[in-house]
């Protein structure tokens, strides 16, 4: 029944200027003159981020579905509904949608979960945005099941930064309000810690911590473990090695408990492998090669067990290749070249098999290029210059292609720089120097472009210095007059770095001076 | 490798290269070149690979080159065989703008057009699709002494080189000694210039003719006259600003205002308007796709090619390159910026906004709850303005809205009573536009 002026006024005044309540008041006023079923229709439409006629039909209540076409026409004519061109559909305006979802969840949770379940089922398409929408509903309708689906989807989206961020944005809603289930809240924070770490590094630790405490509320061990690992990684980044050690050890113990409780669960087993790898990496950072070897060996054995269970699984093969490569690094650092060679070659064999099975997989290509560099270093240490050149050359070719596929990606460009630099650093007779010089010049081009893009990046400045130095050296040995200019450039870089260091040191001392003067 | 996120896309896009040359003249070089360039993930094609399909060679070449990342065009003394007039007409029917676009070809009424050989078309098609075309000219060392084409072919090839030079390709025409020389030069170009495809772009026109507003138009909203006039100044070239940010909390009517901007811009002759929305965090590729669809009269050859490859960064660069080349004034209207993924917002702030500053033919309106902050250290800030849509707390604007937009016609006591009601609800709703639009509409439908 339409409301009169005074009733309108009462509704609006009750909202007291709160945007969410005002949006609900608008909805009440709009719906007052409409058939009573339209409220249920709007509730169904407000659950998903967007809907088209097919999705709307699937989410609508059973008794209304026979006339879903009519209800669809009615709902999209409402002033609160907007078109969403990217999805070729419509959505309830965000403020009203969020307010309505929250109101339903707090006041009528069964109704909300019923609609969310239907929405999760409706978004069953293979498109990334459908998969994201599916887990967005599932994680509140059935938090335990939704958590697994969320974790799996995030893994599947690895490699597409945009898709991962879209998933993070969609789930973010649950982290903004404590009314949502703790698991959903925990995921909102953990996804943010995982997927936004490069964009908001300062936020990662807080996000991981919030995820940890949200998961603790639910006592979901495996999710707690994931948050702990993330916290450990953050501690490692900030240089807090003992905290990282504690968190990685705890996550390992948790993963081992989970494995014991469900030995057939490959995910828990992989959790053991990943925790061991992190502990191994940490031991390397601490210079404890014996401990590192122990962790990587245990990880290797665990990966091998997984491989036996499912030999075709590419993830297990990749884990195994990583363990072998890490063991090779440790052996190399211990100057045990025979063992290093054995590990690197075994890792190479797996990587080659993987890349042959899917040459378009960039992750595997990058792994392969990394192992080839290690084999090149090993050959240098063994005094086999020709073999080293072959390995570095093969790595250059792979990295050249990876860099060409994404020319703005600084990590890939630096990968290529490293491979070119390695090749350029090989000792060669005078007649082969022009070829070597070409590699060094290629590396210089990259280090120059990276250096210009971020002059404050010390690693890139160092790369630039190495390139100038290397080129000057080669030119001088070939009696090329340009050598002097490159020596000068190398000197300028070093001088610039020293000056930056001085400024940085002074900056660090500044607060002390202020303290003293105060 | 350790399970952490990898920084690159998990799938490597294919890299397609077409080697274009007269087979009788350069068969051996081409074979060597093909062998030198072959690498995992790189697809190298030559004309002969299409000839078996019969009758539609030019169409097949056209189709393949449209998807290529590079064409290597070896130029010697001969020009090779020409397609039939039917083939050429079919191709021109598919690409009616081809002759005009390239600027150096004979018109479709000129029989010279039908004398262009398949190999020469390969170079022209590459340029039409903005595929980087590397032209290598045979020199005294690489020229075949044992092979001489008929004199008419020599003349036709000379004309071909003149046309390539007239298209500004001279700087890219390099002599070659042998196949290895070409291969090294080509790989070096790929390796050393990440943005080498940009070289294919002709110089962008320096000045644009911005359309004039033919009639006085105003918004169909309450109290948004100022914003509307600022938009008109933006798209008619009457303002030094090129970027407009519109920010406001939810429910202030940003999207409704933008929809009116778009509606207005689309009615202005000579102005192209693209409208897209970051709502529900679509991928940037989807947003750009929406814009390219909206801007349909403009060509997006590089962008469409990169869509096939799913190469993220190249796709974004290709969009801007194609846009620049359109030669027409364009306004992009982007909404719901707060829902853009960080990846998308980084691109907008680091690539699109600086691009608008550099390129005079582009204007941008960006709206959202959050918009980029104006920062004097960022040069694009100097050509941008940022407006926050205010609440509309003055009842006079709503009275005006009821009459001007909702068509209310009351007078005397009724008018006073209506104005009173408006005052009360404006105060109660604290000036929130969406709610007030609903309340005013209800009041009007109740007869004031």
């Amino acid at each position: 029944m339409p409301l009169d002026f005074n009733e309108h006024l009462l509704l609006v005044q009750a909202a007291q200027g709160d945007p969410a309540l005002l949006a609900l008041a608008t909805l009440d006023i709009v719906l007052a003159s409409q058939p009573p079923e339209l409220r249920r229709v709007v509730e169904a439409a407000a659950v998903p981020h967007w809907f088209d006629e097919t999705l709307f039909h699937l989410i609508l209540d059973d008794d209304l579905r026979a006339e879903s076409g009519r209800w669809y026409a009615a709902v999209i004519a409402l002033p609160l509904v907007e078109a969403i061109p990217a999805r070729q559909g419509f959505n309830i305006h965000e403020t009203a949608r969020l307010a309505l979802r929250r109101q339903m969840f707090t006041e009528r949770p069964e109704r909300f979960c019923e609609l969310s379940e239907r929405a999760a089922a409706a978004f069953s398409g293979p498109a990334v945005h459908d998969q994201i929408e599916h887990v967005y509903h599932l994680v509140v309708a059935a938090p335990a099941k939704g958590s697994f689906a969320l974790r799996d989807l995030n893994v599947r989206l690895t490699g597409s930064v945009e898709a991962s961020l879209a998933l993070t944005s969609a789930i973010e809603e649950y982290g903004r309000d404590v009314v949502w289930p703790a698991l959903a809240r925990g995921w909102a924070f953990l996804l943010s810690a995982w997927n936004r770490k490069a964009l908001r590094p300062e936020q990662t630790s807080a996000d991981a911590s919030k995820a940890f405490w949200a998961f603790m509320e639910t006592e979901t061990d495996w999710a707690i473990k994931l948050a702990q690992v993330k916290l450990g990684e953050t501690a490692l980044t900030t240089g807090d090695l003992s905290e990282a050690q504690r968190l990685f050890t705890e996550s390992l113990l948790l993963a081992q408990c989970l494995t014991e409780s469900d030995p057939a669960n490959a995910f828990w087993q992989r959790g053991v492998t990943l925790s061991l790898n992190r502990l191994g990496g940490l031991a390397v950072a601490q210079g404890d090669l014996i401990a590192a070897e122990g962790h990587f060996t245990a990880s290797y054995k665990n990966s091998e067990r997984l491989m036996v269970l499912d030999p075709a699984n590419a993830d297990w093969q990749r884990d195994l290749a990583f363990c072998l490569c890490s063991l090779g690094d440790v052996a190399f650092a211990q100057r045990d070249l025979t063992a290093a060679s054995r590990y690197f070659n075994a890792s190479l064999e797996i990587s080659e098999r993987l890349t042959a099975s899917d040459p378009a997989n960039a992750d595997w290509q990058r792994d392969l290029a990394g192992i080839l560099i290690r084999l090149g270093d090993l050959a240098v240490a063994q005094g086999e210059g020709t073999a080293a050149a072959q390995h570095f050359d093969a790595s250059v070719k792979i990295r050249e292609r990876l860099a060409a596929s994404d020319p703005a990606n600084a990590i890939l460009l630096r990968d290529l720089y490293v491979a070119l630099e390695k090749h350029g650093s090989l000792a060669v007779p005078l007649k082969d120097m022009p070829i070597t010089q070409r590699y060094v010049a290629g590396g210089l081009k990259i280090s120059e472009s990276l250096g210009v893009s971020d002059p404050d990046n010390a690693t890139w400045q160092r790369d630039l210095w190495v390139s100038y130095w290397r080129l000057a050296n080669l030119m001088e040995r070939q009696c090329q007059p340009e050598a002097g200019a490159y020596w000068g450039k190398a000197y300028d870089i070093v001088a610039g770095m020293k000056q930056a260091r001085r400024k940085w040191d002074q900056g660090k001392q500044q607060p002390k001076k202020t303290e003293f003067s105060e | 490798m350790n399970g952490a996120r990898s920084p690159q896309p998990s799938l490597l896009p294919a890299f397609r290269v077409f080697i274009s040359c007269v087979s009788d003249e350069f068969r051996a070089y081409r074979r060597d070149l093909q062998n030198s360039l072959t690498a995992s993930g790189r697809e190298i094609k030559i004309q002969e690979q299409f000839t078996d399909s019969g009758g539609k060679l030019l169409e097949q070449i056209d189709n393949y080159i449209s998807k290529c990342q590079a064409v290597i065009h070896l130029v010697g003394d001969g020009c090779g065989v020409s397609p039939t007039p039917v083939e050429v007409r079919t191709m021109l029917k598919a690409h009616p703008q081809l002759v005009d676009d390239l600027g150096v070809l004979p018109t479709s009424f000129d029989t010279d057009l039908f004398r262009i050989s398949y190999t020469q078309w390969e170079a022209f098609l590459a340029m039409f699709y903005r595929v980087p075309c590397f032209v290598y000219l045979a020199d005294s060392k690489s020229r075949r002494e044992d092979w001489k084409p008929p004199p008419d072919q020599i003349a036709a090839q000379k004309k071909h080189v003149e046309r390539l030079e007239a298209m500004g390709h001279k700087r890219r025409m390099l002599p070659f000694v042998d196949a290895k020389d070409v291969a090294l030069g080509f790989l070096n170009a790929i390796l050393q210039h990440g943005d080498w495809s940009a070289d294919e772009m002709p110089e962008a026109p320096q000045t644009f003719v911005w359309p004039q507003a033919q009639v006085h138009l105003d918004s169909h909203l309450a109290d948004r006259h100022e914003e509307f006039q600022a938009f008109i100044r933006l798209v008619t070239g009457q303002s030094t600003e090129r970027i407009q940010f519109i920010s406001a909390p939810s429910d202030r009517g940003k999207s409704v205002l933008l929809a009116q901007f778009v509606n207005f811009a689309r009615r202005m002759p000579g102005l192209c308007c693209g409208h897209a929305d970051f709502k529900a965090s679509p991928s940037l590729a989807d947003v750009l796709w929406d814009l390219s669809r909206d801007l349909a009269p403009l060509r997006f050859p590089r962008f469409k090619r990169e869509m096939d490859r799913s190469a993220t960064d190249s796709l974004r660069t290709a969009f801007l390159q194609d846009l620049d080349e359109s030669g027409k004034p364009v306004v992009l209207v982007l909404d719901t910026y707060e829902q853009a993924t960080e990846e998308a917002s980084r691109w907008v702030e680091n690539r699109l906004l600086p691009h608008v500053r550099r390129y005079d033919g582009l204007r941008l309106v960006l709206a959202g709850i959050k918009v980029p902050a104006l920062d004097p250290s960022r040069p694009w800030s100097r050509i941008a303005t940022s407006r926050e849509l205010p609440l509309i707390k003055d009842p006079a604007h709503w009275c005006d809205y009821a009459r001007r937009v909702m068509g209310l016609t009351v007078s005397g006591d009724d008018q006073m009573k209506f104005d009173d009601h408006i005052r009360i609800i404006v105060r109660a709703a604290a000036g929130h536009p969406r709610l007030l639009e609903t309340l005013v509409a209800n009041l009007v439908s109740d007869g004031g």
Side-chain angles (χ1 to χ4, degrees), chain A residues 22 26 29 79 82-83 87 91 93 95 159 162 195-196 199-200 360-363 366 400-401 409 445, chain B residues 1 5-12 40 42 192 250-251 279-280 284 342-343 425 428 432 434-435 438 442:
Chain A
L22 281 172
T26 313
I29 292 165
E82 301 171 327
R87 304 277 182 265
N91 69 288
H93 188 267
T95 316
E162 275 207 293
N195 299 339
R196 286 178 173 146
L199 300 158
R200 299 187 209 162
N361 188 310
D363 296 334
R366 191 163 182 254
E400 168 209 303
R401 209 181 130 222
N409 189 320
K445 284 252 176 207
Chain B
M1 193 167 183
R5 173 170 309 288
S6 59
Q8 74 278 23
S10 61
L11 282 181
L12 275 175
S40 168
R42 201 178 285 143
Q192 295 191 357
S250 194
D251 264 347
K279 203 185 291 171
L284 192 51
E342 285 90 340
E343 178 84 355
I425 58 171
H432 278 273
R434 185 182 292 272
L435 176 56
T438 309
N442 281 2

Side-chain angles (χ1 to χ4, degrees), chain A residues 255-316:
Chain A
Q256 283 169 336
C257 284
L258 288 164
T259 309
E260 277 167 28
S261 67
D262 182 5
N265 188 320
F267 180 76
W268 307 150
Q269 299 224 28
R270 190 160 191 238
V272 173
T273 302
L274 296 183
S275 297
L276 284 164
N277 285 345
R278 284 182 175 87
L279 282 166
L282 185 64
V284 170
Q286 290 168 323
D288 187 350
L289 296 179
I290 306 290
E293 191 180 2
H295 291 309
F296 287 131
T297 305
S299 171
Y300 171 76
K301 284 179 182 162
N302 207 54
S303 298
E304 235 184 357
R305 268 198 299 277
L306 279 169
M307 274 276 286
V308 172
L309 291 174
D310 182 4
N313 188 312
D315 281 340
W316 309 160

Side-chain angles (χ1 to χ4, degrees), chain B residues 49 65 67 206 249 353 371 392:
Chain B
Q49 285 170 283
I65 288 179
K67 297 185 179 90
Q206 294 302 305
L353 295 176
V371 291
I392 308 171

